[in-house]
Amino acid sequence: MLSNQILQRTIHEIGDIVECSCSIWNMDAAMLAAVGAKKGWIQHAVEAFISEVQEVGCTAELVTDEIAVFPVCDELEPIYIFVIEHEDKLNGRVSGKLCVSQLEGLIRMNKERMDKNRFMQNLILDNLLLVDIYNQAKKLSIPVEKRRVVILIEPKNPEDTIVLEMVKGIYTSGTGDYVTAVDEGHVILIKALDETDSTREIQHNAKMLVDMINTEAMVNVRVAYGTIVEELKDVSQSYKEAQMALDVGRIFYPEKNILAYKELGIGRLIHQLPLSLCDMFLEEVFAGKAVDQFEEETLSTVDKFFENNLNISETARQLFVHRNTLVYRLEKIQKQTGLDVRVFEDALTFKIALMVADHVKFVRSKE
């Protein structure tokens, strides 16, 4: 079925071409779209025509001195009724048939797009057997051996549905790109790549999406992408990688709005650790105490200390505190954990422990 927006736009285009009043009705004799003046008795003619169609199937058109009525079919199943008002039977019949052909073509295109959309959704969710992937791809004329990457767009506000329509407008299916969604919070772009395209081009596309959506739709988004895959069956792998990139970015890199699976650093490694191992590590580092034992001031101080490569003088200058005050705060951490963060090895252990604690908190918040 076509949307009311498509029907309205199509009927106005038809009216401009044939210069006649015309209308589209559903199989319950309710008018869906019209252009021009409509005679009051036409609904009775449509109701009579529908009764005949329901009795004998997809019947031929009805042409009178004033109107021509046609069934609009989807694989021989009537789903709409098209009516054109005319002053000449021959012209009305020819114009009506051309209009019906246009509507049936739109129905076929819409069906094909919906079939491809459904196929892509099942593909990325691993709902298809390998043999089904190849069979359905052949039926839908989707190339199997083609370089692709999955780009995941996440609006900061999940209710910003304009993002899906905007991305669809940028990437049309005629280019081999597919835009779909499997939940309300994310838009999925399956991007077709040329043989020479690399991560540089993908990064450029991601940046373009962030900038364009931010500028034109006034919506903030985060974009993540997986690795390049060579075959259609591996698209779900790239999708899962993009999902992980979003999760890792949400935990460890909240300041970033573009995330690549291959550039997640230690965050990717920590994100794949089992919770039991994480709990054991945190127990060892913090001697059974929670991360909450540290004051916000202490954590912000040590973060700035790490940013300055363990340089006490520079950290004290940026925090506007005396050097001795900074040393006192760092020694406080040593008393609580036994780790002297002024020493590289202990600083590394403490930093990883904080990241592991963030990972555990995130995972348990989703359970």
Side-chain angles (χ1 to χ4, degrees), residues 43-323:
Q43 180 163 1
H44 299 295
V46 170
E47 290 172 350
F49 186 78
I50 289 174
S51 296
E52 183 179 352
V53 167
Q54 290 172 340
E55 287 180 10
V56 300
C58 199
T59 185
E61 67 272 8
L62 169 67
V63 182
T64 69
D65 291 336
E66 296 182 76
I67 63 170
V69 186
F70 302 84
V72 180
C73 299
D74 176 16
E75 296 182 358
L76 301 181
E77 179 71 24
I79 58 173
Y80 297 119
I81 302 297
F82 178 76
V83 179
I84 183 170
E85 301 176 35
H86 62 81
E87 296 178 355
D88 179 270
K89 273 189 176 183
L90 180 60
N91 287 339
R93 187 170 184 271
V94 173
S95 297
K97 282 195 167 186
L98 288 172
C99 297
V100 168
S101 177
Q102 170 74 5
L103 287 167
E104 291 181 342
L106 285 173
I107 292 169
R108 285 192 298 272
M109 288 176 59
N110 185 65
K111 250 184 106 174
E112 181 180 341
R113 187 175 73 250
M114 293 299 293
D115 287 344
K116 285 185 177 179
N117 184 62
R118 194 176 299 111
F119 170 73
M120 286 299 178
Q121 289 177 338
N122 286 323
L123 177 68
I124 60 179
L125 294 176
D126 278 334
N127 289 339
L128 296 171
L129 297 173
L130 186 59
V131 65
D132 293 330
I133 292 175
Y134 288 111
N135 289 340
Q136 292 188 36
K138 183 177 181 181
K139 181 180 177 182
L140 296 170
S141 301
I142 298 174
V144 173
E145 294 185 357
K146 175 74 178 174
R147 299 178 81 235
R148 297 179 175 90
V149 67
V150 174
I151 300 176
L152 206 53
I153 302 113
E154 179 186 66
K156 293 290 178 69
N157 181 2
E159 297 178 0
D160 288 322
T161 55
I162 189 175
V163 175
L164 176 60
E165 297 305 319
M166 190 169 180
V167 177
K168 282 183 177 179
I170 299 171
Y171 297 95
T172 58
S173 58
T175 61
D177 302 326
Y178 299 94
V179 179
T180 186
V182 293
D183 58 50
E184 294 180 353
H186 301 89
V187 176
I188 303 164
L189 167 62
I190 303 171
K191 183 82 179 70
L193 303 173
D194 294 330
E195 290 300 322
T196 57
D197 285 345
S198 63
T199 52
R200 179 181 298 178
E201 283 73 25
I202 302 171
Q203 180 78 8
H204 174 75
N205 273 276
K207 188 175 186 308
M208 182 269 293
L209 278 169
V210 170
D211 293 342
M212 188 171 293
I213 295 172
N214 193 323
T215 303
E216 298 186 13
M218 303 297 288
V219 175
N220 292 321
V221 296
R222 291 163 64 86
V223 174
Y225 56 89
T227 56
I228 298 172
V229 296
E230 303 290 337
E231 291 192 28
L232 189 63
K233 66 181 177 63
D234 297 322
V235 164
S236 63
Q237 171 194 323
S238 187
Y239 170 68
K240 291 171 186 173
E241 291 169 348
Q243 275 188 314
M244 179 182 287
L246 273 181
D247 283 345
V248 171
R250 198 177 292 115
I251 303 169
F252 304 120
Y253 316 113
E255 74 284 354
K256 290 187 178 182
N257 55 15
I258 298 177
L259 300 147
Y261 176 76
K262 281 192 170 182
E263 298 175 5
L264 297 176
I266 194 172
R268 178 177 62 236
L269 180 63
I270 292 174
H271 191 65
Q272 296 181 81
L273 293 175
L275 286 182
S276 57
L277 193 60
C278 293
D279 289 335
M280 189 184 302
F281 177 68
L282 293 176
E283 175 84 17
E284 177 185 340
V285 174
F286 296 135
K289 298 179 181 178
V291 181
D292 298 338
Q293 66 179 301
F294 302 108
E295 299 174 357
E296 187 63 33
E297 182 185 56
T298 302
L299 293 176
S300 60
T301 298
V302 79
D303 281 341
K304 183 62 69 175
F305 185 55
F306 290 157
E307 285 178 19
N308 288 294
N309 299 316
L310 313 186
N311 187 314
I312 290 179
S313 299
E314 180 60 22
T315 304
R317 187 186 68 81
Q318 292 186 17
L319 291 175
F320 304 103
V321 298
H322 193 275
R323 177 189 175 94

Side-chain angles (χ1 to χ4, degrees), residues 9-28:
R9 186 174 65 245
T10 303
I11 200 71
H12 279 88
E13 291 173 353
I14 288 173
D16 291 340
I17 295 171
V18 300
E19 297 182 344
C20 295
S21 297
C22 44
S23 53
I24 301 173
W25 306 68
N26 64 18
M27 296 306 292
D28 293 324

